[in-house]
């Protein structure tokens, strides 16, 4: 149940860039004002309250510096992953939120009398009994974790011997066994002869802040590891796709000898919204009996697992076609293959078997756009036989159709998404008929498709394959 403070208020919306810029400007103005007041606060170091106030000004400036950095990160977004990631440097600056007064204690150690005085808040921070005597500088390290004691010793020695200000962190162990991280700032107080008479310090409990910072660093490291893994998988997927698909530049002539051969060119067009490869493929293969296999398809999803599945499916298409399976039977076998895989998957495909001696195209499809046929300067859609998506229905049957091609005819096979937006996409492709008629080669036709649709913001990658019947 929402609290009475927030119940009637609308949910906060993420800040826009302009509002973050305004917050940055306000923060920097406030930093300037605080720094001006701090400089105007005169202190000879004799009054403990004045020293405490000055230390709080310094802490406030630390906080505002952190706030400035964090707002700039909100404005600029995550830093890009370097080409060769290395260990990231983490700037040291105390930061946090909430009331400073509730977490800042003070102390003074008189070196002449060996007396120590602590504020009540410092007792609370360190978890000590207020009735107990304050620890001297010699006794203070007994509260500190062993690995942090050298740091404290170095800071105190520098302050007492070299009059250096103290500004650093260390971890203390409370009587209940809890470990807290504290940030200490202080300065020496010089006597009349110029020697150090005492040392004062303010101590701030920054445990929760450091815990939050560790969480931020851990999530940042996790993000960087994820980005690196995605880059590695993407590179593997690209290399796998390049290894299994025919070259996308230049044309093939299949079969390589004899009349009625097809001139074939193809291309994959990248997605405009996803860096991950999907499961699109195209293929052209000369079969042992002299026929030519043409196929395009798409396995749903993105990433290296889908690209690997595409390679498996394409290998199955080639193997079954080489074994003589006609297109309809080939589709049934592919459906059984996807239905039997451990990871459920859906795919679409169209497979064509072209016989050059008779120029007969026999084809089948599984939930895929039908091939387009261009002849005499006009284009049409081949009438599609029955066929459901691969992997959708166990034991599904697939129909088969035939078409007789003429010399100079052009066949276009493509995957869904070649033309972004479903409405009008078919008309846009059929409208390329005049350009195809004027083109001399299949490669020129593919170039026309790329020029027309290559720069479109498609949601998924797409493949196009064009086969032109020899004169």
């Amino acid at each position: 149940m929402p609290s009475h403070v927030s119940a009637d208020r609308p949910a906060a919306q993420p800040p826009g860039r302009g509002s973050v810029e305004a917050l940055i400007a306000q923060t920097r103005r406030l930093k300037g004002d605080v720094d001006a007041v701090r400089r105007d606060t005169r202190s000879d170091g004799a009054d403990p309250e004045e020293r405490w106030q000055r230390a709080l000004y310094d802490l406030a400036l630390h906080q505002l510096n952190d706030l400035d950095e964090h707002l700039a990160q909100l404005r600029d977004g995550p830093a890009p992953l370097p080409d060769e990631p290395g260990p990231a440097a983490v700037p040291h600056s105390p930061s946090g939120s909430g009331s400073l007064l509730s977490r800042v204690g003070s102390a003074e150690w008189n070196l002449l009398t060996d007396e120590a005085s602590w504020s009540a808040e410092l007792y609370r921070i360190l978890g000590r009994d207020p009735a107990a005597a304050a620890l001297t500088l010699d006794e203070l390290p007994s509260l500190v974790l062993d690995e942090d004691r050298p740091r404290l010793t170095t800071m105190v020695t520098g302050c007492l011997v070299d009059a250096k200000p103290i500004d650093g962190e260390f971890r203390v162990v409370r009587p209940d066994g809890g470990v807290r991280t504290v940030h200490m700032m202080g300065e020496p107080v010089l006597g009349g002869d110029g020697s150090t008479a005492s040392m004062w310090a303010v101590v701030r409990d920054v445990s929760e802040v450091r815990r939050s910072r560790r969480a931020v660093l851990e999530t940042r490291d996790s993000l960087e590891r994820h980005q690196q893994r995605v880059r590695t998988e993407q590179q593997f997927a690209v290399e796998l796709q390049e290894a299994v698909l025919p070259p996308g530049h230049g044309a093939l002539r299949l079969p390589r000898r004899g009349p009625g051969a097809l001139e074939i060119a193809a291309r994959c067009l990248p997605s405009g919204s996803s860096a991950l490869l999907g499961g699109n493929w195209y293929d052209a293969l000369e079969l042992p009996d002299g026929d030519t296999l043409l196929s395009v398809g798409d396995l749903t999803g993105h990433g290296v697992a889908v690209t690997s599945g595409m390679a498996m499916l394409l290998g199955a298409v080639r193997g079954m076609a080489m074994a003589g399976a006609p297109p309809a039977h080939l589709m049934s076998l592919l459906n059984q293959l996807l239905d039997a895989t451990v990871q459920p998957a859906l795919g679409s495909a169209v497979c064509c078997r072209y016989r050059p001696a008779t120029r007969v195209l026999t084809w089948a499809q599984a939930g895929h756009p039908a091939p387009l046929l261009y002849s005499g300067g006009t284009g049409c859609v081949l009438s599609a036989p029955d066929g459901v998506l691969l992997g959708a229905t166990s034991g599904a049957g697939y129909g088969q159709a035939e078409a007789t091609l003429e010399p100079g005819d052009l066949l276009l096979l493509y995957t869904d998404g070649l033309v972004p937006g479903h409405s009008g996409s078919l008309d846009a492709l059929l409208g390329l008929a005049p350009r195809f008629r004027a083109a001399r080669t299949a490669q020129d036709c593919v170039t026309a498709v790329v020029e027309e649709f290559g720069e479109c913001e498609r949601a998924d990658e797409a493949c196009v394959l064009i086969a032109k019947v020899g004169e």
Side-chain angles (χ1 to χ4, degrees):
M1 180 176 178
S3 70
H4 67 280
V5 174
S6 61
D8 299 327
R9 296 184 182 178
Q13 298 299 312
R17 183 180 178 89
S19 59
V20 174
E21 289 282 7
L23 290 173
I24 291 174
Q26 292 175 20
T27 300
R28 291 176 179 173
R29 283 196 300 269
L30 183 56
K31 276 200 303 184
D33 293 341
V34 171
D35 190 44
V37 174
R38 183 178 67 94
R39 288 196 305 268
D40 291 339
T41 302
R42 303 294 179 182
S43 174
D44 58 4
D47 186 344
E49 184 174 348
E50 289 180 352
R51 296 198 301 267
W52 177 74
Q53 290 174 347
R54 184 172 180 84
L56 283 180
Y57 283 128
D58 290 339
L59 284 172
L61 285 173
H62 274 296
Q63 293 277 51
L64 290 170
N65 283 331
D66 277 355
L67 180 60
D68 191 3
E69 283 183 23
H70 297 160
L71 290 173
Q73 290 173 7
L74 281 176
R75 178 194 61 196
D76 300 336
L81 184 65
D83 291 334
E84 296 183 359
V90 180
H92 169 79
S93 60
S95 61
S97 58
S99 169
L100 286 173
L101 292 177
S102 66
R103 290 181 293 163
V104 176
S106 61
E108 183 164 5
W109 291 273
N110 190 313
L111 303 182
L112 303 179
T113 63
D114 201 27
E115 294 177 342
S117 61
W118 288 4
S119 69
E121 184 57 36
L122 182 56
Y123 276 97
R124 282 192 287 271
I125 291 173
L126 300 179
R128 295 185 62 81
D129 183 358
L135 298 184
T136 65
L137 284 177
D138 291 334
E139 297 169 331
L140 185 62
S142 65
L143 302 180
V144 181
L145 283 179
D146 290 346
E147 53 265 39
D148 289 359
R149 286 178 187 173
R151 186 182 313 156
L152 174 63
T153 300
T154 299
M155 289 191 299
V156 172
T157 300
C159 181
L160 299 181
V161 176
D162 300 322
K164 293 180 179 179
I166 290 177
D167 188 351
E169 292 181 6
F170 52 90
R171 289 165 297 171
V172 297
V173 182
R174 293 159 57 103
D176 60 5
V179 177
R180 307 297 292 177
T181 301
V182 297
H183 181 259
M184 176 183 281
M185 296 180 65
E187 293 180 354
V189 178
L190 303 182
D193 59 357
S195 62
T196 303
S198 64
M199 189 189 86
W200 65 268
V202 291
V203 179
R204 176 172 164 236
D205 185 348
V206 294
S207 303
E208 298 304 323
V209 174
R210 295 300 167 256
R211 192 172 294 116
S212 297
R213 174 165 291 181
R214 284 195 299 272
V216 170
L217 293 179
E218 288 169 1
T219 55
R220 185 202 65 187
D221 292 344
S222 175
L223 174 61
E224 290 181 353
R225 288 194 299 270
H226 172 72
Q227 290 174 333
Q228 182 62 42
R229 184 170 63 252
V230 168
R231 289 202 318 174
T232 301
E233 291 183 355
Q234 174 69 356
Q235 183 62 33
F236 176 76
V238 169
E239 292 174 358
L240 179 60
Q241 186 188 65
E242 291 175 349
V244 299
L245 296 187
H249 297 278
L252 295 173
R253 185 181 188 275
L254 297 177
R256 293 176 177 83
R257 290 180 296 274
L262 296 175
E263 181 190 2
I264 302 166
R267 184 77 61 85
C268 266
L269 302 179
S271 164
S273 60
S274 174
L276 294 176
L277 287 181
N280 286 256
W281 87 81
Y282 64 86
D283 196 27
L285 182 68
E286 184 176 353
L287 301 176
D289 60 2
D291 289 358
T292 296
L293 171 73
L294 303 175
S295 70
V296 297
D298 181 14
L299 197 61
T300 56
H302 296 89
V304 66
V306 173
T307 306
S308 300
M310 176 272 291
M312 178 269 294
L313 208 61
L314 180 54
V317 170
R318 290 171 175 172
M320 289 184 286
M322 293 288 285
H329 184 51
L330 191 152
M331 287 297 181
S332 296
L333 294 175
L334 285 181
N335 184 60
Q336 292 178 31
L337 178 62
L338 276 188
D339 190 48
T341 55
V342 176
Q343 295 294 335
L346 292 175
S348 69
V350 58
C351 290
C352 307
R353 192 180 187 106
Y354 172 74
R355 179 153 294 176
T358 59
R359 297 191 303 276
V360 171
L361 182 80
T362 305
W363 67 285
Q365 63 83 29
H368 199 88
L372 307 183
L373 177 62
Y374 298 83
S375 181
T378 60
C380 67
V381 183
L382 293 182
S383 180
D386 294 336
V388 298
L389 285 171
L390 299 172
T393 305
S394 298
Y398 292 86
Q400 189 167 282
E402 289 187 355
T404 301
L405 308 183
E406 299 296 332
D409 283 356
L410 187 143
L411 195 67
L412 187 150
L413 281 64
Y414 64 101
T415 58
D416 196 25
L418 176 63
V419 182
H422 295 288
S423 60
S425 59
L426 191 58
D427 291 339
L429 287 171
L430 294 175
L432 293 175
R435 293 192 65 178
F436 288 165
R437 187 175 189 181
R440 295 185 301 106
T441 66
Q443 186 61 55
D444 291 339
C445 294
V446 169
T447 299
V449 173
V450 174
E451 289 175 350
E452 192 72 24
F453 307 114
E455 299 301 321
C456 296
E457 284 295 319
R458 60 182 51 80
D460 200 356
E461 62 181 318
C463 293
V464 58
L465 182 148
I466 291 179
K468 186 174 183 180
V469 182
E471 299 288 348

